[in-house]
Amino acid sequence: FPVTIVDKIKIIAKLLGHGLESPLYKEVREKNALCYSIKSDIDRFNQQALFKIQTLTQKGQEDKVRDIITKVIKNPTKYITKERFDIIKNNLIVQREEDEINRYQNIQDVLNPEKFSIYRDLDKLNMKKILDIYEDKFNIKNFTIDTD
């Protein structure tokens, strides 16, 4: 993903796979007992970001896990709800305030204040923007699956 939308992709990652109430956790872990934990996040490389979903499952269960993840990714209106969006956004607002209090803990934040920030457009962010990016960028055909 290009750097211009990395902050929104990070929020989408949080919506899908952050915490015990996330859709991925509920579907893969709670409903189907196919893993102990599952999460989604991004890795940043220069001016790009890689969206990833990570989990561990028993040998032979990979196809079931993949099918459930695919179901979640293909159904944003079911799994990315306004309620979940508000919880994640409010959590980020609190986290931003905590980070401001502790702003001098990481010298890189002081030396490079213009770097990627999930907080940059947080106040202007709304559900429609997130769903627009999701619909544009989250095509399951573009996902690479790695099992090892």
Side-chain angles (χ1 to χ4, degrees):
F1 295 102
V3 72
T4 54
I5 61 168
V6 168
D7 55 335
K8 279 76 169 181
I9 301 300
K10 178 78 172 176
I11 291 169
I12 290 169
K14 286 181 172 292
L15 288 165
L16 290 172
H18 181 77
L20 302 178
E21 295 297 318
S22 72
L24 288 171
Y25 186 88
K26 289 219 170 266
E27 293 296 320
V28 178
R29 163 88 170 139
E30 284 187 7
K31 290 184 181 175
N32 293 281
L34 292 170
C35 69
Y36 180 73
S37 67
I38 185 166
K39 67 178 182 174
S40 57
D41 203 354
I42 62 167
D43 282 335
R44 291 175 291 158
F45 304 100
N46 295 325
Q47 298 298 309
Q48 297 289 315
L50 171 71
F51 173 82
K52 63 184 180 180
I53 298 171
Q54 293 176 294
T55 191
L56 295 171
T57 192
Q58 290 181 334
K59 191 169 185 80
Q61 300 296 333
E62 301 92 338
D63 289 341
K64 289 179 186 175
V65 171
R66 184 179 307 123
D67 290 346
I68 294 167
I69 290 171
T70 299
K71 178 181 81 168
V72 171
I73 297 295
K74 285 184 169 183
N75 293 290
T77 53
K78 179 177 180 181
Y79 294 106
I80 300 180
T81 64
K82 176 74 167 114
E83 177 185 16
R84 178 102 178 120
F85 173 81
D86 289 341
I87 289 168
I88 295 297
K89 184 174 178 180
N90 290 334
N91 178 274
L92 288 169
I93 289 168
V94 170
Q95 189 177 338
R96 176 179 62 189
E97 291 167 4
E98 289 175 3
D99 286 355
E100 180 58 27
I101 292 167
N102 299 317
R103 68 184 170 273
Y104 298 115
Q105 282 186 321
N106 185 348
I107 191 65
Q108 288 304 315
D109 291 343
V110 176
L111 297 175
N112 190 9
E114 295 303 314
K115 70 178 180 115
F116 161 80
S117 172
I118 196 168
Y119 310 129
R120 185 167 292 131
D121 295 324
L122 188 57
D123 295 324
K124 295 183 251 178
L125 190 62
N126 60 50
M127 183 77 171
K128 182 181 179 333
K129 285 181 186 177
I130 291 296
L131 288 176
D132 287 348
I133 290 171
Y134 192 94
E135 299 237 349
D136 184 44
K137 302 295 183 189
F138 278 73
N139 183 334
I140 199 71
K141 293 176 188 171
N142 298 330
F143 281 56
T144 301
I145 298 168
D146 181 21
T147 57
D148 58 32

